Amino acid sequence: MKFVRNYNNNAALVVDDHHVEWVVVGKGIGFGKKTGDLVDASKITQRFKSENTANIDNLGEYDKSIIDVTSDIVNDVESFLKVKFNDYQYLILADHINFAYERAKEHIEFTDRAVNWEVKKLFPKEYQASLRAIKIINKDLKVNFAKDELVFLTYHFVNLENEKESLQDTIQVSKIISDIINIIQISYHKTLDDESFSYSRLVSHLRYFLIKKIKSNKPAGEQLDPSLLKLMIAKYPQENQTVQKISTFLRNTKGWALSSNDQMYLILHVWRVTHREN
């Protein structure tokens, strides 16, 4: 790859042997380079096709330390969560860290302890990844990020599992899941074990189910035999009553109707989380 121009010392525009332009990121990748110079490929930690100029151009506005810390966090999170950042997710994270860094320097906080608690319980692994990220940020940028950043970073890391999911979708889904869990707990007069496998399965099912509801305006696909739902209702009457409360809540707040499939799977998940916690 040959150097074209700098964004800053740690981000540069280059062109490959096929005349395709890339933006590459790496410590000192553009330092002292002139147009046409070869770029040391071993220094490249991230590369983007230079098509999405709106997001990439922002790199030139960031302090080089923001790019460094973003790359360090991406490497740590990918290893810890066994996920992979795409170009868009990397750039969005860098933009968020840069904005949060500016707020931290001004000592501006948007703390909501209730939301912090909910996110920690709903997405424990991603929350742990956020704790690790905050340590990297505080050490490398020599600033104390507020605790509310744990919530926003967790949302970013949850999004890594679904490229089509936006941060706004994740926030909305997290709130709905929390409300549904409260409905279950009130119905059974018990606090669910948020460390159980059944709880984790329930949260995962709800998340994918809700994202599908948000993203899709299409009618439901092939449905199961209606007699199966009748059998489930007969076998699990209390669970069905709880699912009907969830159905009413979703219809009243979002205008969503639960299909027979939705109801049956929710009945099973409600039974598991209230009877088979482990």
Side-chain angles (χ1 to χ4, degrees), residues 21-38:
E21 289 188 337
W22 298 79
V23 173
V24 294
V25 173
K27 293 182 179 180
I29 197 72
F31 181 72
K33 294 291 183 183
K34 297 179 181 179
T35 302
D37 287 349
L38 291 177

Side-chain angles (χ1 to χ4, degrees), residues 42-86:
S42 66
K43 290 185 177 182
I44 299 174
T45 58
Q46 200 81 20
R47 66 182 69 196
F48 316 95
K49 280 190 176 180
S50 62
E51 298 168 350
N52 194 354
T53 56
N55 286 318
I56 291 176
D57 284 346
N58 289 336
L59 289 175
E61 301 175 5
Y62 304 153
D63 186 281
K64 68 181 185 66
S65 59
I66 297 296
I67 297 176
D68 290 345
V69 77
T70 300
S71 296
D72 290 343
I73 289 172
V74 166
N75 290 335
D76 185 73
V77 171
E78 287 185 339
S79 175
F80 183 71
L81 294 180
K82 303 297 186 292
V83 294
K84 190 70 178 176
F85 282 73
N86 62 28

Side-chain angles (χ1 to χ4, degrees), residues 63-266:
D63 186 281
K64 68 181 185 66
S65 59
I66 297 296
I67 297 176
D68 290 345
V69 77
T70 300
S71 296
D72 290 343
I73 289 172
V74 166
N75 290 335
D76 185 73
V77 171
E78 287 185 339
S79 175
F80 183 71
L81 294 180
K82 303 297 186 292
V83 294
K84 190 70 178 176
F85 282 73
N86 62 28
D87 293 358
Y88 175 76
Q89 290 163 341
Y90 179 98
L91 293 168
I92 289 298
L93 178 62
D95 188 65
H96 177 81
I97 291 174
N98 182 66
F99 179 62
Y101 178 54
E102 295 301 322
R103 286 197 288 119
K105 290 192 295 184
E106 298 296 327
H107 306 289
I108 299 173
E109 296 185 22
F110 304 115
T111 303
D112 187 333
R113 293 182 180 179
V115 172
N116 194 328
W117 183 87
E118 289 175 358
V119 170
K120 182 179 180 180
K121 297 300 181 183
L122 293 177
F123 309 113
K125 291 182 180 179
E126 290 82 359
Y127 189 85
Q128 287 300 314
S130 297
L131 287 172
R132 295 165 66 98
I134 290 291
K135 287 182 179 179
I136 293 173
I137 290 169
N138 290 343
K139 177 185 175 185
D140 292 358
L141 297 182
K142 295 179 174 56
V143 65
N144 291 319
F145 264 31
K147 288 185 177 180
D148 62 292
E149 292 303 333
L150 285 169
V151 173
F152 292 116
L153 286 173
T154 300
Y155 287 145
H156 278 290
F157 300 154
V158 169
N159 283 350
L160 296 176
E161 297 180 13
N162 189 338
E163 296 181 7
K164 297 180 180 179
E165 186 174 344
S166 69
L167 188 62
Q168 290 74 19
D169 290 340
T170 304
I171 294 172
Q172 181 183 182
V173 165
S174 300
K175 178 64 171 63
I176 298 172
I177 291 175
S178 180
D179 289 338
I180 290 175
I181 288 174
N182 284 335
I183 290 173
I184 296 172
Q185 292 182 143
I186 291 171
S187 296
Y188 283 83
H189 306 288
K190 67 186 297 186
T191 300
L192 301 180
D193 180 4
D194 53 55
E195 295 184 357
S196 71
F197 178 69
S198 297
Y199 184 94
S200 178
R201 287 278 302 275
L202 171 65
V203 170
S204 295
H205 173 77
L206 289 174
R207 177 167 172 262
Y208 288 111
F209 157 70
L210 292 170
I211 285 295
K212 186 177 179 181
K213 284 288 187 183
I214 291 172
K215 293 295 186 182
S216 178
N217 294 319
K218 298 178 181 179
E222 183 178 349
Q223 297 294 299
L224 296 173
D225 186 337
S227 62
L228 291 177
L229 178 59
K230 291 182 180 179
L231 288 173
M232 295 293 291
I233 293 173
K235 186 173 183 179
Y236 304 111
Q238 185 177 4
E239 288 72 20
N240 177 58
Q241 288 179 6
T242 302
V243 169
Q244 294 313 309
K245 292 177 183 177
I246 295 171
S247 177
T248 299
F249 162 71
L250 292 176
R251 183 173 59 253
N252 290 342
T253 59
K254 298 296 177 182
W256 296 338
L258 295 183
S259 67
S260 297
N261 287 10
D262 296 333
Q263 293 179 59
M264 193 183 78
Y265 286 120
L266 276 175

